Amino acid sequence: TYGIELWRVSGTTATRLTDIEPGVGGSFPNYLTVVGSQLFFQATNSATYGTELWVSDGTADGETLLEIVPSTWSSSPSDIVAFDGKAFFQAYTDDHGAELWSSDGTESGTAMVVDIAEGYNASSDPMNLVPVGDQLFFTASDDGGSSYDLWVYDGAEARKVKADGTPSVSQPIAFDGRLFFVANDPDAGNEIWVSDGTDEGTGLFVDIYPGSTFVGEDEYPHSSNPAELTVAGDFLFFNADDGTNGPSLWVTDGTEAGTFMVANLFDSTLGEGPKGLTATTNRLFFQTETEELGREVHSLPIANVVKPPNAPTGEASGSTETAYTYSTTGGSLSLTGGDVKYRFNWGDGTSTDWLDVGVTSAEHTWNEAGTYEVTVEALSVATPSIISNQSDALSVLMSFTETVDVSFTSAPETGEIWVEYEFSIDGSSDYGHDLE
């Protein structure tokens, strides 16, 4: 009857609030954003107003038109976000093009914030609006659309972050009091960046897949291609490829040391990695596709994600049947701050039990010659089901180099032929083996 309009649901009761576009076509409300007790949205009335900004108080027919471009020409407001008690958004006018606007829900309180690309019909196209504390980040172009840089508005003025601009910005998200985003840097490839709104506080956060590849005479940086940036609790989860494990689930607590691949909870052999990351109060849900299970949903407790320890240290070569001591240099941590225990895997099918809290070394003896990959993993004491991924391996070469010493204890020095004499001998193996 009414087409697509604005509705409100309370319990099991649904109530239509508006009929902005009479008839079955509908006004297609979009960019619904709550600011205080008001709901801002974009809607279309094709006969009279075009596509404009509207605000609702949540009651039936309680909507108000905030017309930026009179007549059926449209300002097409988009990317609406709540910031500083107002709605901020992109809107278009012939005089200024598409620029940054704000509204307090009244006609007099709706105005352009800044004209970044000055000139008639020149547009800066502000997009990716993300409030972070007392700053509003967005991307915009001040050169007619040939490049888009990171900008920040502090409630008084808008300025470009870094005079020389920033690499292309995508997937911006507020986390840890800063803006995290994916940028394609000519030097580091497609990686995660961070900004606190200052020039010096804006740059590459961590290079998950360092290095580069030469194709002919051209050098191309490796890219981890982060995706699915999702805040869950006190952590930021995302999908990334470090060049070794394929697209996998990663996490950061906002520090480089606290950024790592989560334990291998699934097989990403199809190269797709986790998708649809969604956080609840204490769990992270996501889907992935594997050859064994197909496409399924997985979940991960947000608390006590444990970082893999650093590679163990110790002798890289030695002799069989000799005890050697190996240590983890630490580096493991539970993101919620709890204690961890370590377990060494010796590469011969055996491992230690979980060591006591604070114990970082263990002793092992190999009985057969060969090369062994020694790794270590960590366990959360608070949640023992949470175990880290394996550390990088220390390759250990064990050789069989037994030495036997022999000496006479008694023997005649002279004698005659055809007479039997007795000789006594003693010997030892440095492994303690019996001798014949």
Side-chain angles (χ1 to χ4, degrees), residues 28-34 39-42 76-81:
F28 293 91
N30 200 0
Y31 300 107
L32 277 65
T33 303
V34 174
L39 176 70
F40 288 82
F41 59 98
Q42 175 208 89
S76 301
S78 62
D79 294 272
I80 305 172
V81 299

Side-chain angles (χ1 to χ4, degrees), residues 98-312:
E99 296 293 347
L100 183 66
W101 284 63
S102 71
S103 175
D104 63 2
T106 67
E107 185 176 350
S108 61
T110 302
M112 184 174 64
V113 176
V114 59
D115 189 2
I116 292 176
E118 297 180 351
Y120 180 80
N121 202 24
S123 297
S124 68
D125 293 320
M127 297 177 289
N128 299 313
L129 278 65
V130 178
V132 183
D134 58 0
Q135 299 183 108
L136 176 65
F137 289 88
F138 59 96
T139 56
S141 173
D142 61 357
D143 61 2
S146 62
S147 64
Y148 286 80
D149 300 306
L150 184 65
W151 288 69
V152 64
Y153 174 69
D154 60 7
E157 64 175 357
R159 59 179 179 80
K160 183 193 296 187
V161 180
K162 292 192 172 184
D164 56 353
T166 51
S168 59
V169 175
S170 65
Q171 305 179 66
I173 191 169
F175 174 66
D176 192 37
R178 295 172 290 172
L179 182 78
F180 284 72
F181 57 95
V182 177
N184 197 339
D185 181 3
D187 296 324
N190 209 39
E191 299 289 350
I192 290 182
W193 278 52
V194 66
S195 177
D196 62 3
T198 66
D199 291 353
E200 59 272 15
T202 302
L204 179 67
F205 173 61
V206 59
D207 192 357
I208 291 175
Y209 189 5
S212 59
T213 299
F214 278 93
V215 179
E217 297 181 352
D218 297 323
E219 184 178 8
Y220 297 93
H222 294 154
S223 296
S224 70
N225 296 318
E228 302 276 345
L229 276 65
T230 303
V231 174
D234 295 328
F235 314 117
L236 176 64
F237 290 85
F238 55 96
N239 177 0
D241 184 351
D242 63 1
T244 301
N245 297 286
S248 303
L249 185 65
W250 283 66
V251 67
T252 182
D253 63 356
T255 67
E256 184 174 357
T259 303
F260 55 90
M261 187 180 72
V262 177
N264 287 330
L265 303 174
F266 54 89
D267 177 16
S268 57
T269 54
L270 296 185
E272 184 180 64
K275 297 175 64 178
L277 274 63
T278 304
T280 62
T281 302
N282 56 9
R283 300 191 76 85
L284 178 75
F285 289 83
F286 55 93
Q287 62 165 300
T288 189
E289 185 173 1
T290 66
E291 293 179 351
E292 180 181 1
L293 298 176
R295 185 179 296 278
E296 296 292 350
V297 176
H298 304 253
S299 74
L300 169 74
I302 294 172
N304 285 322
V305 176
V306 179
K307 179 182 179 181
N310 293 334

Side-chain angles (χ1 to χ4, degrees), residues 350-375:
T350 67
S351 62
T352 65
D353 294 330
W354 290 107
L355 306 179
D356 292 337
V357 173
V359 178
T360 59
S361 299
E363 187 179 86
H364 188 62
T365 299
W366 286 271
N367 296 321
E368 296 183 2
T371 300
Y372 300 92
E373 302 295 313
V374 180
T375 60

Side-chain angles (χ1 to χ4, degrees), residues 22 64 79 259 376 430:
T64 300
D79 294 272
T259 303
V376 62
D430 56 2

